[in-house]
């Protein structure tokens, strides 16, 4: 009877709730990537930011977006539970994206070269970013953790479940980089950003409507504490109120890159200290070494994502300025090239999932897969180095950027789905949400580092366009050569360390690679 009942609650061999989370994340990522794809062009073309300032703003915003899940994961673990945290995060995201739809007046340049900007519109823009930062903080890490909670310990469907979930992320990204970029460039920035907000609204409705299918998963472990009052207000509502007020802090931080840099360093140090303290005081030798292995892997992801996340800054501007985007008489928007990453994931994720199973006992361990990811992301920049070298005095053929995204996607598939699953398997049960937050904190550091790296290729611009094609090409060549050598060198280092990391994982690695 139990098995028959279980089968009725499944869809294609997985819990039905997985598909609610799939579509929720698909729409959330539609909103996130749709806005992010437009951001560098909105700043450099509409508000006439320099490359340096545009890159740093995106780096600060993206860093905070991935850092705040450390706090959101901790609050969900200790107080709210995953479900309530996701709903609150979704509401904040809808509000933030609606604010992004207000674009104000375009910046102008006087005859003396002075840039005159609509500062009121920019402040609304910064505050909207702060609402999105809080929203992602409560949603992103917790929805991934909730996917892991759908499966019992040792359930072999877990990895394929995460792969399906990951495809939802990229289906949202694929649609967003086509639709939002098209709307933004053809009809106006407010249409592109507004479409992203509508997508997030659909995601929130999807999640709320599927509550019954969660079967109690993701609920608060301390519901009685949430009902208790502090300062005359229920603790649950106090958490929401303080979280909303925190957006005022992020409103200021997103405009101050040094503050973001300092915060990341402090957050990273506190996270490491907490992991060490928890390992020593709460864990036995096996669990301690597994957590150590996970921490080492997370450190290497910082390098991977710092290279990979050039997509939304230097690679996006490279596509706009340097790439020959003519395709049989039709000009492809620069931002739409970002869709290749998502398209390749949708096409290749089943292939990689099949490949890992087919390899059987020859399946590479997790550390080796991470090293392969670093090598592939390095080779992706090697493709652009070659493309620039072969372009002569003209623009670079688009095939080289497409090849870059293909190689980067292969690297991502070697690292990200396996990494998300590793967090849920190698983390002690009581701090899974926190460690998922640390995973995203590493990505946050990468985002900030990525913006600094992108500035290696910054060029002197006026009205958002590069003044000299070949001067700009040389700037991008310097950056891409540096990233090529970095990816190869760090990938080889991790490959050398992989036997040690495999030993620290105590057999969990076999489950991760099944």
């Amino acid at each position: 009877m139990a098995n028959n009942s279980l089968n009725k609650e499944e869809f294609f061999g997985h819990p039905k709730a997985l598909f609610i989370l799939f579509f929720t994340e698909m729409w959330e990522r539609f909103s996130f990537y749709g806005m992010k794809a437009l951001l560098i062009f909105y700043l450099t073309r509409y508000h006439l930011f320099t490359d340096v300032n545009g890159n740093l703003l995106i780096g600060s915003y993206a860093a905070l977006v991935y850092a705040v899940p450390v706090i959101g994961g901790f609050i969900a673990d200790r107080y709210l539970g995953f479900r309530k945290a996701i709903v609150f995060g979704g509401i904040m995201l809808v509000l933030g994206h609606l604010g992004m739809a207000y674009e104000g007046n375009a910046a102008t340049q006087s005859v003396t070269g002075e840039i005159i900007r609509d500062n009121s519109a920019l402040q609304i823009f910064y505050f909207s970013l702060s609402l999105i930062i809080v929203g992602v903080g409560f949603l992103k890490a917790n929805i991934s953790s909730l996917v892991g909670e759908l499966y019992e310990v040792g359930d072999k469907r877990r990895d394929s479940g995460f792969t399906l979930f990951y495809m939802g992320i990229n289906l949202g990204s694929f649609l967003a980089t086509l639709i939002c970029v098209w709307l933004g460039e053809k009809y106006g920035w407010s249409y592109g950003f507004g479409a992203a907000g509508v997508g997030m609204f659909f995601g929130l409705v999807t999640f709320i409507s599927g509550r019954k299918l969660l079967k109690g998963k993701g609920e608060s472990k301390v519901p009685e504490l949430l009902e208790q009052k502090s300062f005359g207000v229920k603790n649950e509502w106090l958490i929401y109120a303080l979280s909303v007020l925190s957006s005022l802090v992020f409103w200021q931080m997103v405009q101050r890159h040094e503050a973001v840099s300092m915060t990341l360093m402090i957050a990273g140090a506190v996270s490491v200290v907490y992991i060490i303290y928890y390992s020593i005081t709460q864990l036995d030798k096996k669990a301690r070494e597994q957590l150590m292995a996970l921490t080492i892997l997370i450190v290497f992801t910082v390098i991977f994502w710092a290279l990979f996340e050039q997509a939304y800054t230097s690679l996006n501007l490279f596509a706009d300025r340097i790439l020959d985007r003519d395709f049989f008489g039709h000009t492809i928007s620069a931002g739409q090239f970002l869709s290749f990453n998502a398209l390749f994931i949708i096409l290749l994720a089943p292939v990689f999932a099949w490949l890992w199973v087919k390899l059987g006992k020859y399946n590479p361990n997790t550390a080796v897969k991470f090293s392969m990811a670093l090598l592939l992301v390095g080779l992706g920049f090697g493709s652009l180095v070659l493309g620039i070298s072969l372009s002569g005095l003209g623009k670079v053929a688009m095939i080289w950027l497409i090849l870059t995204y293909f190689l980067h996607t292969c690297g991502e598939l070697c690292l990200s789905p396996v990494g998300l699953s590793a967090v849920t398997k190698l983390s002690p049960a009581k701090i899974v949400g926190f460690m998922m937050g640390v995973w995203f904190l590493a990505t946050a550091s990468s985002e900030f580092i990525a913006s600094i790296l992108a500035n290696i290729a910054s060029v002197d611009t006026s009205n958002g366009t590069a003044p000299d094609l070949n001067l700009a090409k040389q700037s991008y060549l310097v950056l891409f050569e540096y990233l090529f050598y970095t990816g190869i060198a760090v990938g080889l280092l991790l490959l050398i360390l992989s036997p040690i990391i495999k030993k620290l994982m105590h057999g969990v690695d076999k489950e991760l690679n099944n």
Side-chain angles (χ1 to χ4, degrees), residues 35-56:
M35 183 271 283
K36 196 176 178 184
L38 289 170
L39 207 49
I40 191 67
F41 302 129
Y42 176 64
L43 292 171
T44 56
R45 293 183 196 168
Y46 192 75
H47 289 294
L48 300 184
F49 277 46
T50 62
D51 283 11
V52 170
N53 289 335
N55 288 336
L56 286 176

Side-chain angles (χ1 to χ4, degrees), residues 279-505:
S279 298
I280 294 172
T281 61
Q282 304 292 325
L283 303 178
D284 58 25
K285 182 176 183 293
K286 178 182 175 182
R288 187 182 306 121
E289 291 186 348
Q290 287 177 332
L291 187 57
M292 186 187 305
L294 176 60
T295 304
I296 294 170
L297 290 173
I298 288 175
V299 169
F300 276 95
T301 67
V302 173
I303 309 299
F304 175 84
W305 293 117
L307 272 61
F308 184 91
E309 287 297 328
Q310 295 297 312
Y312 292 90
T313 50
S314 65
L315 288 181
N316 228 3
L317 290 174
F318 174 81
D320 186 44
R321 299 165 175 170
I322 312 298
L323 211 63
D324 180 359
R325 294 182 280 113
D326 182 71
F327 185 71
F328 293 104
H330 174 71
T331 301
I332 302 172
S333 296
Q336 291 183 322
F337 280 89
L338 293 165
S339 66
F340 280 104
N341 171 239
L343 176 63
F344 286 139
I345 283 184
I346 294 167
L347 295 175
L348 294 176
V351 176
F352 273 74
W354 169 83
L355 179 63
W356 301 142
V357 173
K358 191 70 175 177
L359 287 172
K361 65 179 182 179
Y362 300 107
N363 190 4
N365 67 62
T366 303
V368 171
K369 287 180 180 177
F370 275 42
S371 68
M372 290 166 59
L374 284 157
L375 292 169
L376 285 164
V377 79
L379 288 172
F381 288 108
S383 166
L384 292 175
V385 169
L386 184 59
I388 293 171
S389 301
L390 294 175
S391 65
L393 297 177
K395 290 197 169 185
V396 177
M398 69 175 72
I399 187 63
W400 297 109
L401 183 59
I402 295 171
L403 178 58
T404 295
Y405 281 126
F406 174 78
L407 292 168
H408 283 191
T409 301
C410 290
E412 186 180 2
L413 286 169
C414 289
L415 182 141
S416 199
V418 175
L420 288 172
S421 186
V423 172
T424 64
K425 287 184 175 182
L426 290 169
S427 302
K430 291 184 178 180
I431 61 167
V432 171
F434 173 77
M435 288 307 297
M436 191 66 76
V438 173
W439 171 270
F440 291 114
L441 176 60
T443 309
S445 302
S446 306
E447 294 278 1
F448 195 81
I449 294 168
S451 70
I452 295 171
L453 291 173
N455 283 337
I456 294 174
S458 64
V459 293
D460 183 25
T461 59
S462 58
N463 63 38
T465 58
D468 183 88
L469 173 65
N470 288 295
L471 179 64
K473 279 168 66 175
Q474 290 306 307
S475 296
Y476 287 108
L477 181 62
V478 171
L479 171 64
F480 297 153
E481 282 182 339
Y482 178 75
L483 299 180
F484 166 67
Y485 291 122
T486 299
I488 298 299
V490 178
L492 290 175
L493 173 62
L494 181 54
L495 190 62
I496 294 168
L497 295 175
S498 62
I500 299 171
I501 298 171
K502 180 183 178 182
K503 186 177 180 181
L504 291 172
M505 294 177 77

Side-chain angles (χ1 to χ4, degrees), residues 58-86:
I58 291 175
S60 295
Y61 158 71
L64 290 169
V65 157
Y66 284 102
V68 176
V70 176
I71 303 170
F74 180 79
I75 292 173
D77 272 339
R78 293 289 297 272
Y79 304 110
L80 290 178
F82 298 136
R83 184 187 64 80
K84 287 183 176 180
I86 291 166

Side-chain angles (χ1 to χ4, degrees), residues 83-135:
R83 184 187 64 80
K84 287 183 176 180
I86 291 166
V87 171
F88 174 70
I91 292 170
M92 295 294 283
L93 281 164
V94 170
L95 294 173
H97 283 293
L98 287 176
M100 290 287 292
Y102 177 75
E103 61 185 42
N105 299 314
T108 57
Q109 189 170 20
S110 68
V111 291
T112 60
E114 181 187 1
I115 304 296
I116 303 166
R117 299 188 177 94
D118 184 343
N119 288 319
S120 296
L122 278 172
Q123 288 304 316
I124 293 172
F125 165 71
Y126 295 138
F127 185 67
S128 299
L129 290 182
S130 75
L131 294 176
I132 293 172
I133 288 164
V134 175

